[in-house]
Amino acid sequence: ISLFLCTILWAHILYLYLYNDAKELPVEWWIVTQWVVWEFPHLNPLTQSIDYNKNILDLTYRSLLKYDSKAKQYVWDLAQCDVTNLSKIDCYLKNDVKWSDWTDITVWDVLATYNVLKNSNINPLMVTLLKDITIDVNESSKLISFKMANPTINELQIFSQKIVAKSVLDGIWTRELTWKFNVSEWLYSWAYKVQSSNYDEASWVQTLTLIKNSNYNDAKTVLIKWYVFKIFWEVSEMLKHKDIINIFFDDNEQLVDIIQKLEKK
């Protein structure tokens, strides 16, 4: 009996040490560094993004609808919506969604985001999709109601739009609204927020650092604390540092045959 109990005890200790600790410890310390040959990202979630800038926005902003890579399907993110009737889609904002400064994400943030897109030329696709859609909100019930005059499946694309805080939209300069967002003092809603941006004149590299957002409601499941983007203007400058590169953005496949340790998968 004693031998059996000792076996169970040691099995339990090994489980806690090897499994639980291994799952929790990386939450605080892991870093991913990505090297990029491109211009500095505009960080603007209102415009259309098809380059690595979109990858950064996907790490920092949430939308009503998101793609779940594990389930390989779209799922509701900030809200739960009923799409059984495309003429009127009611979305109820979830209770535990917050900005990176601990304030709640509200229906007014959602409404302000769509109003800016609908009444400007920032994102031509969104202007077209929102043209015949009326949006009403009810603060007490956290309801955002979308009424569509001519509903089609295409209009569902609006639910993947990144939501921006109303306080940010109310105080933003026109230039930043239409193109570049400032890298400091913004509010973020997904697993990461911008920590810093700096430029190294010696290596001609600009660094953008994202740090884990502790106010994200699933922060405990995030195993990387920092995402670091090293941004070069030219391939030649990046190749000077090729010996320490592990992950890079190479949309035009300029480097895959030059840096031997990096192979296409």
Side-chain angles (χ1 to χ4, degrees), residues 166-200:
K166 184 178 184 298
S167 59
V168 170
L169 295 173
D170 288 345
I172 202 170
W173 290 94
T174 303
R175 179 177 176 275
E176 291 173 327
L177 186 64
T178 55
W179 178 233
K180 291 183 179 295
F181 267 34
N182 197 323
V183 299
S184 62
E185 299 180 0
W186 293 122
L187 299 178
Y188 303 94
S189 52
W190 207 75
Y192 296 90
K193 60 183 180 180
V194 174
Q195 182 185 42
S196 63
S197 171
N198 57 71
Y199 179 70
D200 184 350

PDB file of all heavy atoms in Angstrom, residues 166-200:
ATOM      1  N   LYS A 166     -13.849  54.779 -28.803  1.00  0.00           N
ATOM      2  CA  LYS A 166     -14.461  56.071 -29.143  1.00  0.00           C
ATOM      3  C   LYS A 166     -13.581  57.230 -28.669  1.00  0.00           C
ATOM      4  O   LYS A 166     -13.459  58.247 -29.360  1.00  0.00           O
ATOM      5  CB  LYS A 166     -15.845  56.177 -28.514  1.00  0.00           C
ATOM      6  CG  LYS A 166     -16.610  57.451 -28.887  1.00  0.00           C
ATOM      7  CD  LYS A 166     -17.991  57.451 -28.258  1.00  0.00           C
ATOM      8  CE  LYS A 166     -18.802  58.669 -28.709  1.00  0.00           C
ATOM      9  NZ  LYS A 166     -18.169  59.938 -28.284  1.00  0.00           N
ATOM     10  N   SER A 167     -12.959  57.078 -27.507  1.00  0.00           N
ATOM     11  CA  SER A 167     -12.110  58.149 -26.983  1.00  0.00           C
ATOM     12  C   SER A 167     -10.924  58.420 -27.901  1.00  0.00           C
ATOM     13  O   SER A 167     -10.463  59.560 -28.015  1.00  0.00           O
ATOM     14  CB  SER A 167     -11.617  57.791 -25.575  1.00  0.00           C
ATOM     15  OG  SER A 167     -10.869  56.577 -25.592  1.00  0.00           O
ATOM     16  N   VAL A 168     -10.428  57.380 -28.552  1.00  0.00           N
ATOM     17  CA  VAL A 168      -9.329  57.538 -29.516  1.00  0.00           C
ATOM     18  C   VAL A 168      -9.837  58.233 -30.776  1.00  0.00           C
ATOM     19  O   VAL A 168      -9.220  59.173 -31.280  1.00  0.00           O
ATOM     20  CB  VAL A 168      -8.703  56.177 -29.868  1.00  0.00           C
ATOM     21  CG1 VAL A 168      -7.734  56.300 -31.037  1.00  0.00           C
ATOM     22  CG2 VAL A 168      -8.001  55.584 -28.661  1.00  0.00           C
ATOM     23  N   LEU A 169     -10.975  57.794 -31.279  1.00  0.00           N
ATOM     24  CA  LEU A 169     -11.531  58.367 -32.506  1.00  0.00           C
ATOM     25  C   LEU A 169     -11.915  59.828 -32.318  1.00  0.00           C
ATOM     26  O   LEU A 169     -11.784  60.641 -33.240  1.00  0.00           O
ATOM     27  CB  LEU A 169     -12.745  57.560 -32.960  1.00  0.00           C
ATOM     28  CG  LEU A 169     -12.458  56.118 -33.391  1.00  0.00           C
ATOM     29  CD1 LEU A 169     -13.761  55.377 -33.650  1.00  0.00           C
ATOM     30  CD2 LEU A 169     -11.567  56.083 -34.612  1.00  0.00           C
ATOM     31  N   ASP A 170     -12.390  60.186 -31.131  1.00  0.00           N
ATOM     32  CA  ASP A 170     -12.806  61.567 -30.873  1.00  0.00           C
ATOM     33  C   ASP A 170     -11.622  62.531 -30.817  1.00  0.00           C
ATOM     34  O   ASP A 170     -11.773  63.722 -31.097  1.00  0.00           O
ATOM     35  CB  ASP A 170     -13.572  61.654 -29.542  1.00  0.00           C
ATOM     36  CG  ASP A 170     -14.956  61.032 -29.641  1.00  0.00           C
ATOM     37  OD1 ASP A 170     -15.427  60.807 -30.774  1.00  0.00           O
ATOM     38  OD2 ASP A 170     -15.561  60.759 -28.588  1.00  0.00           O
ATOM     39  N   GLY A 171     -10.438  62.010 -30.448  1.00  0.00           N
ATOM     40  CA  GLY A 171      -9.299  62.897 -30.269  1.00  0.00           C
ATOM     41  C   GLY A 171      -8.194  62.729 -31.285  1.00  0.00           C
ATOM     42  O   GLY A 171      -7.099  63.263 -31.103  1.00  0.00           O
ATOM     43  N   ILE A 172      -8.469  62.015 -32.364  1.00  0.00           N
ATOM     44  CA  ILE A 172      -7.409  61.692 -33.315  1.00  0.00           C
ATOM     45  C   ILE A 172      -7.311  62.757 -34.405  1.00  0.00           C
ATOM     46  O   ILE A 172      -8.309  63.385 -34.772  1.00  0.00           O
ATOM     47  CB  ILE A 172      -7.685  60.303 -33.938  1.00  0.00           C
ATOM     48  CG1 ILE A 172      -6.410  59.696 -34.492  1.00  0.00           C
ATOM     49  CG2 ILE A 172      -8.733  60.384 -35.031  1.00  0.00           C
ATOM     50  CD1 ILE A 172      -6.584  58.244 -34.895  1.00  0.00           C
ATOM     51  N   TRP A 173      -6.072  62.968 -34.885  1.00  0.00           N
ATOM     52  CA  TRP A 173      -5.862  63.900 -35.984  1.00  0.00           C
ATOM     53  C   TRP A 173      -6.296  63.253 -37.298  1.00  0.00           C
ATOM     54  O   TRP A 173      -6.237  62.043 -37.456  1.00  0.00           O
ATOM     55  CB  TRP A 173      -4.388  64.279 -36.080  1.00  0.00           C
ATOM     56  CG  TRP A 173      -3.921  65.146 -34.952  1.00  0.00           C
ATOM     57  CD1 TRP A 173      -3.328  64.729 -33.799  1.00  0.00           C
ATOM     58  CD2 TRP A 173      -4.006  66.571 -34.859  1.00  0.00           C
ATOM     59  NE1 TRP A 173      -3.043  65.795 -32.981  1.00  0.00           N
ATOM     60  CE2 TRP A 173      -3.446  66.947 -33.612  1.00  0.00           C
ATOM     61  CE3 TRP A 173      -4.494  67.571 -35.701  1.00  0.00           C
ATOM     62  CZ2 TRP A 173      -3.364  68.264 -33.198  1.00  0.00           C
ATOM     63  CZ3 TRP A 173      -4.409  68.888 -35.300  1.00  0.00           C
ATOM     64  CH2 TRP A 173      -3.855  69.231 -34.057  1.00  0.00           C
ATOM     65  N   THR A 174      -6.730  64.081 -38.237  1.00  0.00           N
ATOM     66  CA  THR A 174      -7.211  63.572 -39.529  1.00  0.00           C
ATOM     67  C   THR A 174      -6.147  62.748 -40.242  1.00  0.00           C
ATOM     68  O   THR A 174      -6.440  61.701 -40.812  1.00  0.00           O
ATOM     69  CB  THR A 174      -7.648  64.740 -40.438  1.00  0.00           C
ATOM     70  OG1 THR A 174      -8.656  65.488 -39.764  1.00  0.00           O
ATOM     71  CG2 THR A 174      -8.194  64.216 -41.760  1.00  0.00           C
ATOM     72  N   ARG A 175      -4.882  63.190 -40.196  1.00  0.00           N
ATOM     73  CA  ARG A 175      -3.815  62.464 -40.888  1.00  0.00           C
ATOM     74  C   ARG A 175      -3.668  61.057 -40.333  1.00  0.00           C
ATOM     75  O   ARG A 175      -3.476  60.097 -41.077  1.00  0.00           O
ATOM     76  CB  ARG A 175      -2.494  63.224 -40.751  1.00  0.00           C
ATOM     77  CG  ARG A 175      -1.315  62.520 -41.418  1.00  0.00           C
ATOM     78  CD  ARG A 175      -0.050  63.370 -41.308  1.00  0.00           C
ATOM     79  NE  ARG A 175       1.098  62.665 -41.865  1.00  0.00           N
ATOM     80  CZ  ARG A 175       1.846  61.797 -41.189  1.00  0.00           C
ATOM     81  NH1 ARG A 175       1.547  61.528 -39.930  1.00  0.00           N
ATOM     82  NH2 ARG A 175       2.877  61.194 -41.761  1.00  0.00           N
ATOM     83  N   GLU A 176      -3.744  60.922 -39.009  1.00  0.00           N
ATOM     84  CA  GLU A 176      -3.604  59.604 -38.401  1.00  0.00           C
ATOM     85  C   GLU A 176      -4.852  58.756 -38.665  1.00  0.00           C
ATOM     86  O   GLU A 176      -4.763  57.540 -38.793  1.00  0.00           O
ATOM     87  CB  GLU A 176      -3.376  59.754 -36.894  1.00  0.00           C
ATOM     88  CG  GLU A 176      -2.012  60.362 -36.580  1.00  0.00           C
ATOM     89  CD  GLU A 176      -1.850  60.658 -35.108  1.00  0.00           C
ATOM     90  OE1 GLU A 176      -2.871  60.995 -34.480  1.00  0.00           O
ATOM     91  OE2 GLU A 176      -0.728  60.564 -34.592  1.00  0.00           O
ATOM     92  N   LEU A 177      -5.999  59.421 -38.745  1.00  0.00           N
ATOM     93  CA  LEU A 177      -7.232  58.700 -39.008  1.00  0.00           C
ATOM     94  C   LEU A 177      -7.223  58.079 -40.394  1.00  0.00           C
ATOM     95  O   LEU A 177      -7.711  56.973 -40.604  1.00  0.00           O
ATOM     96  CB  LEU A 177      -8.417  59.655 -38.867  1.00  0.00           C
ATOM     97  CG  LEU A 177      -9.814  59.052 -38.962  1.00  0.00           C
ATOM     98  CD1 LEU A 177     -10.059  58.085 -37.826  1.00  0.00           C
ATOM     99  CD2 LEU A 177     -10.863  60.158 -38.946  1.00  0.00           C
ATOM    100  N   THR A 178      -6.627  58.770 -41.358  1.00  0.00           N
ATOM    101  CA  THR A 178      -6.635  58.290 -42.736  1.00  0.00           C
ATOM    102  C   THR A 178      -5.428  57.427 -43.078  1.00  0.00           C
ATOM    103  O   THR A 178      -5.440  56.718 -44.068  1.00  0.00           O
ATOM    104  CB  THR A 178      -6.672  59.486 -43.715  1.00  0.00           C
ATOM    105  OG1 THR A 178      -5.558  60.353 -43.416  1.00  0.00           O
ATOM    106  CG2 THR A 178      -7.960  60.269 -43.562  1.00  0.00           C
ATOM    107  N   TRP A 179      -4.360  57.491 -42.227  1.00  0.00           N
ATOM    108  CA  TRP A 179      -3.197  56.681 -42.573  1.00  0.00           C
ATOM    109  C   TRP A 179      -2.529  56.117 -41.327  1.00  0.00           C
ATOM    110  O   TRP A 179      -2.885  55.075 -40.832  1.00  0.00           O
ATOM    111  CB  TRP A 179      -2.219  57.497 -43.409  1.00  0.00           C
ATOM    112  CG  TRP A 179      -0.976  56.753 -43.780  1.00  0.00           C
ATOM    113  CD1 TRP A 179       0.301  57.162 -43.585  1.00  0.00           C
ATOM    114  CD2 TRP A 179      -0.880  55.451 -44.391  1.00  0.00           C
ATOM    115  NE1 TRP A 179       1.197  56.231 -44.044  1.00  0.00           N
ATOM    116  CE2 TRP A 179       0.502  55.162 -44.543  1.00  0.00           C
ATOM    117  CE3 TRP A 179      -1.807  54.507 -44.816  1.00  0.00           C
ATOM    118  CZ2 TRP A 179       0.961  53.968 -45.104  1.00  0.00           C
ATOM    119  CZ3 TRP A 179      -1.344  53.324 -45.373  1.00  0.00           C
ATOM    120  CH2 TRP A 179       0.008  53.067 -45.516  1.00  0.00           C
ATOM    121  N   LYS A 180      -1.548  56.859 -40.769  1.00  0.00           N
ATOM    122  CA  LYS A 180      -0.729  56.296 -39.696  1.00  0.00           C
ATOM    123  C   LYS A 180      -1.297  56.600 -38.309  1.00  0.00           C
ATOM    124  O   LYS A 180      -1.655  57.729 -38.017  1.00  0.00           O
ATOM    125  CB  LYS A 180       0.702  56.835 -39.788  1.00  0.00           C
ATOM    126  CG  LYS A 180       1.472  56.316 -40.995  1.00  0.00           C
ATOM    127  CD  LYS A 180       2.900  56.832 -40.967  1.00  0.00           C
ATOM    128  CE  LYS A 180       3.699  56.301 -42.151  1.00  0.00           C
ATOM    129  NZ  LYS A 180       3.877  54.848 -42.116  1.00  0.00           N
ATOM    130  N   PHE A 181      -1.330  55.556 -37.465  1.00  0.00           N
ATOM    131  CA  PHE A 181      -1.676  55.723 -36.057  1.00  0.00           C
ATOM    132  C   PHE A 181      -0.386  55.916 -35.259  1.00  0.00           C
ATOM    133  O   PHE A 181       0.642  55.314 -35.573  1.00  0.00           O
ATOM    134  CB  PHE A 181      -2.412  54.483 -35.529  1.00  0.00           C
ATOM    135  CG  PHE A 181      -3.913  54.594 -35.622  1.00  0.00           C
ATOM    136  CD1 PHE A 181      -4.512  55.280 -36.659  1.00  0.00           C
ATOM    137  CD2 PHE A 181      -4.716  53.990 -34.669  1.00  0.00           C
ATOM    138  CE1 PHE A 181      -5.893  55.364 -36.756  1.00  0.00           C
ATOM    139  CE2 PHE A 181      -6.092  54.074 -34.746  1.00  0.00           C
ATOM    140  CZ  PHE A 181      -6.683  54.768 -35.790  1.00  0.00           C
ATOM    141  N   ASN A 182      -0.461  56.739 -34.230  1.00  0.00           N
ATOM    142  CA  ASN A 182       0.670  56.898 -33.330  1.00  0.00           C
ATOM    143  C   ASN A 182       0.945  55.568 -32.632  1.00  0.00           C
ATOM    144  O   ASN A 182       0.021  54.810 -32.333  1.00  0.00           O
ATOM    145  CB  ASN A 182       0.347  57.980 -32.294  1.00  0.00           C
ATOM    146  CG  ASN A 182       1.570  58.498 -31.594  1.00  0.00           C
ATOM    147  OD1 ASN A 182       2.487  57.741 -31.309  1.00  0.00           O
ATOM    148  ND2 ASN A 182       1.591  59.784 -31.317  1.00  0.00           N
ATOM    149  N   VAL A 183       2.214  55.286 -32.323  1.00  0.00           N
ATOM    150  CA  VAL A 183       2.547  53.998 -31.707  1.00  0.00           C
ATOM    151  C   VAL A 183       2.411  54.016 -30.185  1.00  0.00           C
ATOM    152  O   VAL A 183       2.544  52.975 -29.539  1.00  0.00           O
ATOM    153  CB  VAL A 183       3.990  53.560 -32.059  1.00  0.00           C
ATOM    154  CG1 VAL A 183       4.132  53.389 -33.560  1.00  0.00           C
ATOM    155  CG2 VAL A 183       5.007  54.559 -31.537  1.00  0.00           C
ATOM    156  N   SER A 184       2.178  55.191 -29.603  1.00  0.00           N
ATOM    157  CA  SER A 184       2.098  55.264 -28.142  1.00  0.00           C
ATOM    158  C   SER A 184       0.727  55.751 -27.680  1.00  0.00           C
ATOM    159  O   SER A 184       0.015  56.451 -28.398  1.00  0.00           O
ATOM    160  CB  SER A 184       3.178  56.202 -27.599  1.00  0.00           C
ATOM    161  OG  SER A 184       2.973  57.511 -28.102  1.00  0.00           O
ATOM    162  N   GLU A 185       0.360  55.346 -26.488  1.00  0.00           N
ATOM    163  CA  GLU A 185      -0.824  55.838 -25.778  1.00  0.00           C
ATOM    164  C   GLU A 185      -2.147  55.483 -26.462  1.00  0.00           C
ATOM    165  O   GLU A 185      -3.153  56.151 -26.244  1.00  0.00           O
ATOM    166  CB  GLU A 185      -0.732  57.351 -25.579  1.00  0.00           C
ATOM    167  CG  GLU A 185       0.475  57.762 -24.743  1.00  0.00           C
ATOM    168  CD  GLU A 185       0.554  59.265 -24.554  1.00  0.00           C
ATOM    169  OE1 GLU A 185      -0.328  59.970 -25.070  1.00  0.00           O
ATOM    170  OE2 GLU A 185       1.490  59.715 -23.887  1.00  0.00           O
ATOM    171  N   TRP A 186      -2.172  54.441 -27.289  1.00  0.00           N
ATOM    172  CA  TRP A 186      -3.446  54.006 -27.846  1.00  0.00           C
ATOM    173  C   TRP A 186      -4.016  52.887 -26.992  1.00  0.00           C
ATOM    174  O   TRP A 186      -3.321  52.273 -26.183  1.00  0.00           O
ATOM    175  CB  TRP A 186      -3.277  53.527 -29.290  1.00  0.00           C
ATOM    176  CG  TRP A 186      -2.907  54.630 -30.238  1.00  0.00           C
ATOM    177  CD1 TRP A 186      -1.805  54.690 -31.019  1.00  0.00           C
ATOM    178  CD2 TRP A 186      -3.613  55.834 -30.480  1.00  0.00           C
ATOM    179  NE1 TRP A 186      -1.772  55.855 -31.743  1.00  0.00           N
ATOM    180  CE2 TRP A 186      -2.882  56.579 -31.430  1.00  0.00           C
ATOM    181  CE3 TRP A 186      -4.807  56.362 -29.988  1.00  0.00           C
ATOM    182  CZ2 TRP A 186      -3.302  57.821 -31.892  1.00  0.00           C
ATOM    183  CZ3 TRP A 186      -5.221  57.603 -30.448  1.00  0.00           C
ATOM    184  CH2 TRP A 186      -4.477  58.310 -31.392  1.00  0.00           C
ATOM    185  N   LEU A 187      -5.276  52.600 -27.208  1.00  0.00           N
ATOM    186  CA  LEU A 187      -5.936  51.525 -26.467  1.00  0.00           C
ATOM    187  C   LEU A 187      -6.039  50.301 -27.366  1.00  0.00           C
ATOM    188  O   LEU A 187      -6.447  50.404 -28.526  1.00  0.00           O
ATOM    189  CB  LEU A 187      -7.332  51.972 -26.008  1.00  0.00           C
ATOM    190  CG  LEU A 187      -7.369  53.171 -25.063  1.00  0.00           C
ATOM    191  CD1 LEU A 187      -8.819  53.532 -24.737  1.00  0.00           C
ATOM    192  CD2 LEU A 187      -6.603  52.874 -23.789  1.00  0.00           C
ATOM    193  N   TYR A 188      -5.691  49.155 -26.820  1.00  0.00           N
ATOM    194  CA  TYR A 188      -5.700  47.907 -27.576  1.00  0.00           C
ATOM    195  C   TYR A 188      -6.616  46.913 -26.873  1.00  0.00           C
ATOM    196  O   TYR A 188      -6.874  47.016 -25.670  1.00  0.00           O
ATOM    197  CB  TYR A 188      -4.282  47.348 -27.698  1.00  0.00           C
ATOM    198  CG  TYR A 188      -3.335  48.327 -28.344  1.00  0.00           C
ATOM    199  CD1 TYR A 188      -2.557  49.190 -27.573  1.00  0.00           C
ATOM    200  CD2 TYR A 188      -3.234  48.414 -29.727  1.00  0.00           C
ATOM    201  CE1 TYR A 188      -1.707  50.109 -28.177  1.00  0.00           C
ATOM    202  CE2 TYR A 188      -2.379  49.324 -30.335  1.00  0.00           C
ATOM    203  CZ  TYR A 188      -1.616  50.174 -29.548  1.00  0.00           C
ATOM    204  OH  TYR A 188      -0.778  51.072 -30.147  1.00  0.00           O
ATOM    205  N   SER A 189      -7.096  45.928 -27.621  1.00  0.00           N
ATOM    206  CA  SER A 189      -8.099  45.033 -27.043  1.00  0.00           C
ATOM    207  C   SER A 189      -7.758  43.558 -27.157  1.00  0.00           C
ATOM    208  O   SER A 189      -8.365  42.736 -26.471  1.00  0.00           O
ATOM    209  CB  SER A 189      -9.455  45.279 -27.722  1.00  0.00           C
ATOM    210  OG  SER A 189      -9.341  45.209 -29.141  1.00  0.00           O
ATOM    211  N   TRP A 190      -6.807  43.190 -28.027  1.00  0.00           N
ATOM    212  CA  TRP A 190      -6.511  41.762 -28.144  1.00  0.00           C
ATOM    213  C   TRP A 190      -5.357  41.405 -27.232  1.00  0.00           C
ATOM    214  O   TRP A 190      -5.106  42.067 -26.241  1.00  0.00           O
ATOM    215  CB  TRP A 190      -6.252  41.352 -29.603  1.00  0.00           C
ATOM    216  CG  TRP A 190      -6.598  39.904 -29.819  1.00  0.00           C
ATOM    217  CD1 TRP A 190      -7.845  39.380 -29.920  1.00  0.00           C
ATOM    218  CD2 TRP A 190      -5.679  38.815 -29.889  1.00  0.00           C
ATOM    219  NE1 TRP A 190      -7.768  38.006 -30.071  1.00  0.00           N
ATOM    220  CE2 TRP A 190      -6.446  37.631 -30.053  1.00  0.00           C
ATOM    221  CE3 TRP A 190      -4.300  38.713 -29.846  1.00  0.00           C
ATOM    222  CZ2 TRP A 190      -5.873  36.376 -30.170  1.00  0.00           C
ATOM    223  CZ3 TRP A 190      -3.728  37.460 -29.956  1.00  0.00           C
ATOM    224  CH2 TRP A 190      -4.514  36.309 -30.126  1.00  0.00           C
ATOM    225  N   ALA A 191      -4.625  40.344 -27.523  1.00  0.00           N
ATOM    226  CA  ALA A 191      -3.660  39.785 -26.571  1.00  0.00           C
ATOM    227  C   ALA A 191      -2.409  40.632 -26.387  1.00  0.00           C
ATOM    228  O   ALA A 191      -1.679  40.435 -25.420  1.00  0.00           O
ATOM    229  CB  ALA A 191      -3.270  38.381 -27.012  1.00  0.00           C
ATOM    230  N   TYR A 192      -2.166  41.600 -27.294  1.00  0.00           N
ATOM    231  CA  TYR A 192      -0.940  42.390 -27.199  1.00  0.00           C
ATOM    232  C   TYR A 192      -1.231  43.882 -27.356  1.00  0.00           C
ATOM    233  O   TYR A 192      -2.245  44.281 -27.933  1.00  0.00           O
ATOM    234  CB  TYR A 192       0.077  41.943 -28.259  1.00  0.00           C
ATOM    235  CG  TYR A 192       0.539  40.531 -28.052  1.00  0.00           C
ATOM    236  CD1 TYR A 192      -0.138  39.457 -28.635  1.00  0.00           C
ATOM    237  CD2 TYR A 192       1.621  40.239 -27.222  1.00  0.00           C
ATOM    238  CE1 TYR A 192       0.259  38.154 -28.414  1.00  0.00           C
ATOM    239  CE2 TYR A 192       2.025  38.936 -26.996  1.00  0.00           C
ATOM    240  CZ  TYR A 192       1.338  37.898 -27.592  1.00  0.00           C
ATOM    241  OH  TYR A 192       1.721  36.605 -27.352  1.00  0.00           O
ATOM    242  N   LYS A 193      -0.315  44.693 -26.831  1.00  0.00           N
ATOM    243  CA  LYS A 193      -0.367  46.141 -27.015  1.00  0.00           C
ATOM    244  C   LYS A 193       1.036  46.633 -27.347  1.00  0.00           C
ATOM    245  O   LYS A 193       2.032  45.968 -27.040  1.00  0.00           O
ATOM    246  CB  LYS A 193      -0.891  46.842 -25.760  1.00  0.00           C
ATOM    247  CG  LYS A 193      -0.057  46.606 -24.513  1.00  0.00           C
ATOM    248  CD  LYS A 193      -0.679  47.284 -23.305  1.00  0.00           C
ATOM    249  CE  LYS A 193       0.167  47.049 -22.045  1.00  0.00           C
ATOM    250  NZ  LYS A 193      -0.433  47.700 -20.858  1.00  0.00           N
ATOM    251  N   VAL A 194       1.117  47.795 -27.992  1.00  0.00           N
ATOM    252  CA  VAL A 194       2.424  48.345 -28.356  1.00  0.00           C
ATOM    253  C   VAL A 194       3.138  48.811 -27.092  1.00  0.00           C
ATOM    254  O   VAL A 194       2.600  49.591 -26.308  1.00  0.00           O
ATOM    255  CB  VAL A 194       2.271  49.511 -29.344  1.00  0.00           C
ATOM    256  CG1 VAL A 194       3.628  50.174 -29.593  1.00  0.00           C
ATOM    257  CG2 VAL A 194       1.676  49.018 -30.658  1.00  0.00           C
ATOM    258  N   GLN A 195       4.349  48.307 -26.887  1.00  0.00           N
ATOM    259  CA  GLN A 195       5.143  48.723 -25.736  1.00  0.00           C
ATOM    260  C   GLN A 195       6.108  49.851 -26.094  1.00  0.00           C
ATOM    261  O   GLN A 195       6.246  50.818 -25.354  1.00  0.00           O
ATOM    262  CB  GLN A 195       5.942  47.547 -25.171  1.00  0.00           C
ATOM    263  CG  GLN A 195       6.769  47.905 -23.932  1.00  0.00           C
ATOM    264  CD  GLN A 195       7.636  46.760 -23.470  1.00  0.00           C
ATOM    265  OE1 GLN A 195       8.257  46.064 -24.270  1.00  0.00           O
ATOM    266  NE2 GLN A 195       7.673  46.528 -22.166  1.00  0.00           N
ATOM    267  N   SER A 196       6.787  49.731 -27.252  1.00  0.00           N
ATOM    268  CA  SER A 196       7.768  50.745 -27.616  1.00  0.00           C
ATOM    269  C   SER A 196       8.100  50.677 -29.099  1.00  0.00           C
ATOM    270  O   SER A 196       7.810  49.699 -29.778  1.00  0.00           O
ATOM    271  CB  SER A 196       9.055  50.558 -26.801  1.00  0.00           C
ATOM    272  OG  SER A 196       9.650  49.307 -27.103  1.00  0.00           O
ATOM    273  N   SER A 197       8.724  51.761 -29.573  1.00  0.00           N
ATOM    274  CA  SER A 197       9.241  51.816 -30.940  1.00  0.00           C
ATOM    275  C   SER A 197      10.522  52.624 -30.903  1.00  0.00           C
ATOM    276  O   SER A 197      10.568  53.704 -30.308  1.00  0.00           O
ATOM    277  CB  SER A 197       8.221  52.477 -31.864  1.00  0.00           C
ATOM    278  OG  SER A 197       8.791  52.715 -33.132  1.00  0.00           O
ATOM    279  N   ASN A 198      11.591  52.114 -31.508  1.00  0.00           N
ATOM    280  CA  ASN A 198      12.840  52.861 -31.526  1.00  0.00           C
ATOM    281  C   ASN A 198      13.622  52.567 -32.797  1.00  0.00           C
ATOM    282  O   ASN A 198      13.389  51.563 -33.470  1.00  0.00           O
ATOM    283  CB  ASN A 198      13.688  52.554 -30.284  1.00  0.00           C
ATOM    284  CG  ASN A 198      13.993  51.073 -30.150  1.00  0.00           C
ATOM    285  OD1 ASN A 198      14.770  50.515 -30.909  1.00  0.00           O
ATOM    286  ND2 ASN A 198      13.358  50.427 -29.184  1.00  0.00           N
ATOM    287  N   TYR A 199      14.558  53.466 -33.087  1.00  0.00           N
ATOM    288  CA  TYR A 199      15.343  53.361 -34.322  1.00  0.00           C
ATOM    289  C   TYR A 199      16.825  53.311 -33.982  1.00  0.00           C
ATOM    290  O   TYR A 199      17.330  54.145 -33.224  1.00  0.00           O
ATOM    291  CB  TYR A 199      15.054  54.551 -35.238  1.00  0.00           C
ATOM    292  CG  TYR A 199      15.830  54.550 -36.524  1.00  0.00           C
ATOM    293  CD1 TYR A 199      15.544  53.616 -37.504  1.00  0.00           C
ATOM    294  CD2 TYR A 199      16.834  55.469 -36.755  1.00  0.00           C
ATOM    295  CE1 TYR A 199      16.250  53.587 -38.701  1.00  0.00           C
ATOM    296  CE2 TYR A 199      17.546  55.466 -37.944  1.00  0.00           C
ATOM    297  CZ  TYR A 199      17.248  54.518 -38.915  1.00  0.00           C
ATOM    298  OH  TYR A 199      17.953  54.497 -40.090  1.00  0.00           O
ATOM    299  N   ASP A 200      17.518  52.325 -34.537  1.00  0.00           N
ATOM    300  CA  ASP A 200      18.954  52.172 -34.335  1.00  0.00           C
ATOM    301  C   ASP A 200      19.674  52.687 -35.580  1.00  0.00           C
ATOM    302  O   ASP A 200      19.640  52.052 -36.630  1.00  0.00           O
ATOM    303  CB  ASP A 200      19.285  50.698 -34.087  1.00  0.00           C
ATOM    304  CG  ASP A 200      20.759  50.476 -33.771  1.00  0.00           C
ATOM    305  OD1 ASP A 200      21.548  51.435 -33.929  1.00  0.00           O
ATOM    306  OD2 ASP A 200      21.126  49.361 -33.374  1.00  0.00           O
TER     307      ASP A 200
END
